[in-house]
Amino acid sequence: MIGTMRGALWVPHWPVAAAVSSALADPEEPVAVCDRRVAALSPSARSAGVRIGDTRRRARYLCPQIRLLDRDREREERVFGVVLDAVEEHVASCVIVRPGLITFGAKAPARAAGGFDRLAERLMESVAEQAEESHVGAGCGLLAAVLAAQDRRVVPARETAAFLSRYPLTALYEVAGGEAMRREWAEVIDTLLTLGITRLGDLAGLDHSLIASRFGATGSILLSLALGADHAVRYTAAPRGEITVRTATEGAGRAEQAAFYAKRLADELAEELSRRMQVCGQLTVSAQFSTGQRQRTWSMDGAATSRDITDRVRWQISGWLDDRAARPLGELDYLELTAEDLSPAGTNQSSLFGSSRRSAEQARRSVLRLQSMLGEDRVLSPRLTGGRFPAGATRLEAWNSRPAPVKQRPWPGAIPRPWPAIVFPEPVPIELRCHCGEGLEVTGQVQLFCPSCLDPRPATLLVQPASGRPDPSRAHALCRYPGTAEIWSHAGPWQVSGRWWDPHTSYRRAYLQLGSLPGALVFRGEGRWMLEGIYE
């Protein structure tokens, strides 16, 4: 059965548009946003020959001046919220298929705007500030609407079957709501392709009972999409606002007293979430003590029960009260819980036969308990903050905290990407020798120098043995380089310097990338060669 007429707004290469909107790149320069490979491109990068799926090295080979940015899905979702605000000025409600692609009921907004063409113009004008390029189209059913937006056309209901039939079967991925859904669909689509079903028209001609018996619910969904039927995607626009509950605690001085108030508030918050049929993505705990105030935001995975909320609040307050010896807070006078990042219940449904996230949740509970016992500053996790070299691009922060987002701006003079997969906490001393056998040095002009020959180039790498028991970094390096490692190529050296104003933390280094087994990133500083990372 043909679905209802729906409109769709599609922003091509949205990850690039989000990066440009966040001032991480210039709209005119060639830009590529990468996961392991290139995931999105700017128009100038596409015109230079770079394609989706290329490696970073190939992208830089095809376009030496290209700016390569790491993909940040949180940034894409955050910036897309501004696009949603602009779209909702013209349509009553919309559904997010993924950041960069939304659908909406087309009939009423088009009638109010004086026609769909006029509605499309208004939508593209509204989102132009965040995305210079956007496409709007309409068709019957989810898939037809999205493909029509990519073609910038309106597909009448009577032409839906013919319109869809010419597309390859892989066009179904256009309406996959996320990576998990894409992987689930891939199993069925790959099997159909091996059976010779290469186009949507081929799939639409098959009997539904045969598809359902062979491929189950996933097969039925894909068939209904190929037929132009409606299908509800899992990612919908999240409700606005938040839910807050609060209470005075009458000077609770012990963790057991605070737990009583935490349980009462957690029950109240869980009941309100259930009444609204919503789940929260974040829980903020705010506590007013007699000598100060504390606040902490927790991530919540899926539907939180009263016990889940109680545990997080109790652990957090216990950690604050137990820490009074170092930072006196006094008694607890006021407690407030705020549920944020609300979404409709059911949009994050668990698997029918259990979820692989159960073990992760158990581990998370254990770490949270450790954090409440040892203090929130004693259980740390690394966070990418940006820098000129791998070891300086991370920072240790309290585990499960939600700090203010760090804008990933360009770092002039940084080591060329890709960076090594393994970065040692402490650089490991090594010997780097020239092909003539002498030790290599670096001149003040950042050039390799060998005292015995005129053609200095690295030939061997040897990890210096420890005098006693090796530290973990050196032990790992010795496992990867148990003896003298042969070097067959190198790149660099590059000078990296910083913090010149502070004599205690200033640095000046010369980095080399070494082609060996495995590859290595080394630098020379303070008269020594050090191994910073290993390429996998």
Side-chain angles (χ1 to χ4, degrees), residues 311-378:
D311 286 344
R312 282 160 173 78
V313 178
R314 178 169 53 83
W315 294 339
Q316 184 59 72
I317 295 177
S318 297
W320 284 331
L321 291 174
D322 292 342
D323 200 31
R324 284 182 296 183
R327 289 175 292 182
L329 295 172
E331 296 180 337
L332 178 64
D333 297 326
Y334 180 82
L335 182 62
E336 178 179 287
L337 307 182
T338 302
E340 302 170 332
D341 191 16
L342 302 178
S343 58
T347 55
N348 258 337
Q349 187 173 353
S350 300
S351 171
L352 178 62
F353 299 103
S355 171
S356 61
R357 293 183 300 178
R358 181 176 301 172
S359 59
E361 175 64 20
Q362 291 173 346
R364 182 161 51 249
R365 284 177 176 271
S366 299
V367 177
L368 289 173
R369 182 57 178 162
L370 284 174
Q371 196 172 39
S372 68
M373 295 169 59
L374 302 177
E376 62 183 62
D377 296 332
R378 301 295 299 274

Side-chain angles (χ1 to χ4, degrees), residues 262-440:
K263 176 66 167 63
R264 190 172 68 183
L265 279 185
D267 290 342
E268 184 180 346
L269 182 58
E271 182 180 353
E272 182 63 18
L273 285 169
S274 176
R275 187 185 66 80
R276 297 191 186 188
M277 293 186 293
Q278 294 176 354
V279 295
C280 66
Q282 299 177 26
L283 174 68
T284 297
V285 182
S286 302
Q288 179 67 52
F289 295 88
S290 56
T291 60
Q293 185 175 6
R294 291 290 184 270
Q295 185 174 14
R296 184 73 182 276
T297 300
W298 298 83
S299 297
M300 306 295 290
D301 187 11
T305 64
S306 175
R307 177 186 173 185
D308 295 330
I309 299 173
T310 301
D311 286 344
R312 282 160 173 78
V313 178
R314 178 169 53 83
W315 294 339
Q316 184 59 72
I317 295 177
S318 297
W320 284 331
L321 291 174
D322 292 342
D323 200 31
R324 284 182 296 183
R327 289 175 292 182
L329 295 172
E331 296 180 337
L332 178 64
D333 297 326
Y334 180 82
L335 182 62
E336 178 179 287
L337 307 182
T338 302
E340 302 170 332
D341 191 16
L342 302 178
S343 58
T347 55
N348 258 337
Q349 187 173 353
S350 300
S351 171
L352 178 62
F353 299 103
S355 171
S356 61
R357 293 183 300 178
R358 181 176 301 172
S359 59
E361 175 64 20
Q362 291 173 346
R364 182 161 51 249
R365 284 177 176 271
S366 299
V367 177
L368 289 173
R369 182 57 178 162
L370 284 174
Q371 196 172 39
S372 68
M373 295 169 59
L374 302 177
E376 62 183 62
D377 296 332
R378 301 295 299 274
V379 181
L380 308 176
S381 61
R383 178 181 177 227
L384 290 175
T385 57
R388 293 184 174 86
F389 54 95
T394 58
R395 184 172 64 206
L396 291 176
E397 295 180 342
W399 185 84
N400 207 39
S401 64
R402 297 187 64 89
V406 176
K407 292 186 177 180
Q408 297 294 329
R409 299 187 181 279
W411 286 86
I415 298 300
R417 303 275 183 156
W419 284 355
I422 298 174
V423 179
F424 296 112
E426 296 294 335
V428 179
I430 61 170
E431 293 181 6
L432 194 63
R433 295 193 173 274
C434 181
H435 62 93
C436 67
E438 288 289 338
L440 283 175

Side-chain angles (χ1 to χ4, degrees), residues 196-212:
I197 302 170
T198 60
R199 297 196 172 274
L200 293 177
D202 301 335
L203 177 59
L206 298 178
D207 184 80
H208 177 266
S209 60
L210 298 177
I211 291 292

Side-chain angles (χ1 to χ4, degrees), residues 21-163:
S21 181
S22 301
L24 298 180
D26 189 270
E28 303 300 326
E29 68 176 328
V31 179
V33 176
C34 309
D35 285 323
R36 290 188 178 89
R37 293 176 177 266
V38 174
L41 294 162
S42 65
S44 55
R46 297 197 296 270
S47 63
V50 186
R51 296 292 178 264
I52 301 295
D54 285 348
T55 62
R56 295 172 183 250
R57 290 186 183 274
R58 177 168 177 78
R60 195 171 290 282
Y61 169 77
L62 294 170
C63 183
Q65 68 274 23
I66 194 170
R67 184 187 297 278
L68 300 177
L69 300 175
D70 291 331
R71 188 165 190 182
D72 186 342
R73 299 182 188 276
E74 182 179 345
R75 176 182 64 223
E76 296 169 19
E77 295 176 0
R78 182 178 65 253
V79 178
F80 196 60
V82 183
V83 175
L84 288 176
D85 292 339
V87 170
E88 288 179 348
E89 294 179 2
H90 306 283
V91 299
S93 61
C94 55
V95 176
I96 308 171
V97 181
R98 61 177 180 272
L101 177 62
I102 60 175
T103 67
F104 51 88
K107 290 184 178 180
R111 185 165 55 247
F116 190 83
D117 291 341
R118 181 57 183 156
L119 174 63
E121 292 177 4
R122 292 179 179 177
L123 289 174
M124 289 187 289
E125 291 173 358
S126 298
V127 304
E129 185 175 347
Q130 281 72 38
E132 293 186 356
E133 182 183 7
S134 60
H135 299 178
V136 179
C140 291
L142 175 63
L143 183 60
V146 171
L147 297 178
Q150 296 180 358
D151 280 354
R152 298 185 178 185
R153 59 176 292 188
V154 177
V155 179
R158 62 181 180 276
E159 300 178 13
T160 300
F163 172 73

